[in-house]
Amino acid sequence: MALDRSVVAPEAVGVDPHRLDVLLRRIRLEVDHGPLPSAQVAVARGGRLVAFETWGEAGPDTRYVLQSVGRSIVAGVVWKLIGDGLLDVGEQVAAIIPEFAPNGKEAVTVEHVLTHTAGFPFAPLGYPKMLDREQRLAAFGRWRLDSAPGSRFQFHLTSAAWLIAEIVERRTGLTFAEYLHERITRPLGLSSIELGVPVDRQPGTVAPMIATDRTDDDQDPDPWGPWYLSDPRVLAAGEPSHALVATAADVALYFQALEHSGLWKPEAVVEGTRIRLTEHPHGEQIYGGGSGRRTSMGLFVTVAGPDAGSQLPSTGSPLLFGSAGAAYQLGFMDPESGLSLACLSNGYPLAGYDHSRRGTALLTNLANLAADLAD
């Protein structure tokens, strides 16, 4: 079942080599003559890699903090449980995790959590409490609703994934990290994908986060942005939806595995990528709101749908799914073309996200070039 990491000629799987060359040169430009300290990109189709390149201060074995790109991997874990009959999205979370029920949260369903409509987008669970399961469960009980479950679409930055991790443990007897490794990444041979990398194994293996706009050594990054993961202890704590690390090759092949490995029931992947809502995300732009386009949600993945919101490409099909990650990262799979992409970097603005006109255009351009590679 292990996937082949060797790179084949793009023509062998119907990828246009000239368009691929344009995409790779465009990304490399941001490293050679732009702000990025390094970048890594992989493109795959038909279960095979057609490109895997790394530029700048990194090597092919370097792993990157995936940020929101990792949500597609979290989603795949959930879809496997659904396909194996271990989880139903209509279940109430409190029926699975009784500790979660206090403060009127009994009506929250698994589907609410997976579609960011559960009603507690900023429920707190920080370091070091996140390290201890009993403290996490106590925090779940203290959380309060900001809106009625199902009434507001607002990205739950970390709270949703912590609940997903606990649901996985209740239904499988394995921690999320153990289940991901034992049941998915090890059988597939995707060894670079890891959650909770110990502090002593991070140096030299995980690309450190580097500010692209630092002008003053006394400047501090926004502690509420992705910079909280620059602390090796926090990265090791393993917050599920952002702290996953991997190479671009393994992310692109993970997307391919959803379609080609036989590890997932096809109907579960279809159900996971089926659009549940198409709305403008609520909240501030820096936290995923304030978008000019509506966002379509499947089960813990954004789907291109009618508007291709949340920085997904508009050149792919409406079935394309994945996620952009702060600040210059993107991962997606297009079931119609069979193409998958992972574009990763360790360069970040001090604010954590780049919502400048150039930053927005850069990710849009890269996404559209990538989704247009198939013949």
Side-chain angles (χ1 to χ4, degrees):
M1 191 184 295
L3 300 174
D4 189 342
R5 279 201 183 96
S6 61
V7 178
V8 301
E11 300 94 328
V13 291
V15 171
D16 187 307
H18 305 292
R19 297 179 200 167
L20 178 61
D21 180 61
V22 171
L23 171 69
L24 297 177
R25 286 191 288 113
R26 183 64 188 86
I27 298 170
R28 181 172 184 172
L29 182 66
E30 295 302 313
V31 177
D32 291 347
H33 303 287
L36 300 186
S38 74
Q40 192 176 81
V41 64
V43 179
R45 193 184 191 203
R48 301 301 303 273
L49 288 170
V50 297
F52 178 40
E53 299 286 348
T54 307
W55 304 285
E57 302 166 6
D61 295 326
T62 299
R63 299 185 292 176
Y64 289 80
V65 182
L66 297 185
Q67 300 288 341
S68 294
V69 170
R71 289 180 183 171
S72 295
I73 295 175
V74 175
V77 171
V78 174
W79 302 346
K80 180 156 176 56
L81 264 59
I82 292 171
D84 291 346
L86 296 176
L87 184 65
D88 187 290
V89 297
E91 294 183 78
Q92 292 179 334
V93 174
I96 304 171
I97 310 171
E99 296 90 338
F100 171 75
N103 299 319
K105 301 193 295 293
E106 299 92 341
V108 176
T109 67
V110 173
E111 184 169 359
H112 289 145
V113 174
L114 296 175
T115 57
H116 301 279
T117 60
F120 43 89
F122 294 105
L125 181 57
Y127 182 86
K129 289 182 179 179
M130 64 172 69
L131 289 170
D132 183 83
R133 188 185 186 194
E134 292 306 313
Q135 292 195 61
R136 293 198 298 270
L137 293 174
F140 294 167
R142 291 191 298 269
W143 289 353
R144 295 181 180 275
L145 296 172
D146 295 332
S147 57
S151 66
R152 177 186 291 174
F153 169 38
Q154 185 170 6
F155 285 109
H156 289 45
L157 299 181
T158 64
S159 55
W162 280 121
L163 281 178
I164 292 169
E166 184 62 28
I167 289 170
V168 170
E169 188 163 353
R170 298 282 170 125
R171 288 296 163 87
T172 69
L174 300 173
T175 68
F176 183 90
E178 290 169 344
Y179 183 86
L180 175 65
H181 176 70
E182 294 294 330
R183 305 294 170 83
I184 297 180
T185 60
R186 186 168 69 176
L188 294 175
L190 303 179
S191 58
S192 78
I193 300 175
E194 186 177 3
L195 180 67
V197 183
V199 171
D200 63 351
R201 286 204 289 109
Q202 292 178 32
T205 68
V206 180
M209 300 172 69
I210 297 175
T212 57
D213 56 354
R214 182 174 291 279
T215 59
D216 183 343
D217 290 340
D218 294 328
Q219 276 186 286
D220 291 322
D222 176 6
W224 295 105
W227 288 101
Y228 80 110
L229 290 166
S230 66
D231 185 330
R233 299 169 301 172
V234 176
L235 186 63
E239 184 272 298
S241 66
H242 297 93
L244 280 158
V245 305
T247 64
D250 279 4
V251 175
L253 287 173
Y254 184 93
F255 280 115
Q256 292 293 313
L258 293 170
E259 301 282 333
H260 298 287
S261 69
L263 197 61
W264 284 266
K265 289 185 170 61
E267 59 270 25
V269 177
V270 171
E271 184 67 8
T273 57
R274 178 173 65 83
I275 294 175
R276 308 302 174 108
L277 61 88
T278 300
E279 299 177 14
H280 290 281
H282 186 80
E284 298 179 47
Q285 186 180 40
I286 197 170
Y287 302 124
S291 172
R293 291 183 178 179
R294 296 178 302 171
T295 294
S296 295
M297 285 300 307
L299 296 179
F300 217 59
V301 290
T302 49
V303 183
D307 289 19
S310 290
Q311 297 179 307
L312 292 182
S314 57
T315 52
S317 78
L319 301 177
L320 182 147
F321 64 88
S323 184
Y328 307 104
Q329 301 196 127
L330 178 66
F332 69 75
M333 173 74 187
D334 189 339
E336 187 171 291
S337 70
L339 193 82
S340 65
L341 167 91
C343 181
L344 309 175
S345 177
N346 62 329
Y348 296 81
L350 286 165
Y353 302 83
D354 188 350
H355 291 302
S356 69
R357 292 177 65 182
R358 185 187 184 280
T360 301
L362 171 62
L363 200 57
T364 299
N365 292 341
L366 296 181
N368 286 334
L369 286 172
D372 191 35
L373 293 176
D375 286 341

